[in-house]
Amino acid sequence: MRPNEPAGRNVSLIVGMGQRIRARREDLQMTQRMVAESLGGLMDWTAISRVESGKRDLRASEIIAIAWVLDVDPGFLLAGGNGDRGLTYRTGYRAG
């Protein structure tokens, strides 16, 4: 198993997070390369592709950075929810 490759029961969490990242990226009409460039070298576009396909896990710092680029709450990427830009998934108020 490679580093950052999901294992065991975390696979469904990782797949769901990847699906939410892809959906939000597409909503913003961004390519995987654009996201990677916006991350300033933290990840390349192939890593973004692996995340979106559920083949790569993310560190907390990567989740926060991707959420910033995609203008969503990190909690939405992790757990889903109402999912509008910047809304918290628990209370529904606009963050920041």
Side-chain angles (χ1 to χ4, degrees), residues 36 38-44 47 56 59 61-66:
S38 297
L39 291 171
L42 181 65
M43 299 171 70
D44 66 14
R56 184 185 185 282
R59 295 185 304 260
S61 60
E62 293 169 331
I63 294 169
I64 292 166
I66 291 171

Side-chain angles (χ1 to χ4, degrees), residues 35 52 60 64 68-69 74:
V35 172
E52 289 183 355
I64 292 166
W68 179 264
V69 167

Side-chain angles (χ1 to χ4, degrees), residues 10-37:
N10 292 330
V11 172
S12 64
L13 173 71
I14 303 308
V15 169
M17 186 166 40
Q19 291 170 343
R20 288 185 287 280
I21 289 170
R22 176 176 294 174
R24 180 61 180 154
R25 176 180 62 76
E26 290 174 348
D27 285 347
L28 295 173
Q29 298 180 345
M30 294 179 78
T31 65
Q32 292 170 340
R33 276 190 203 279
M34 292 167 73
V35 172
E37 289 171 7

Side-chain angles (χ1 to χ4, degrees), residues 24 71-73 82-88 91-96:
R24 180 61 180 154
D71 195 23
V72 294
D73 188 280
N82 61 20
D84 260 350
R85 292 183 35 214
L87 296 179
T88 64
T91 61
Y93 70 89
R94 177 164 283 291

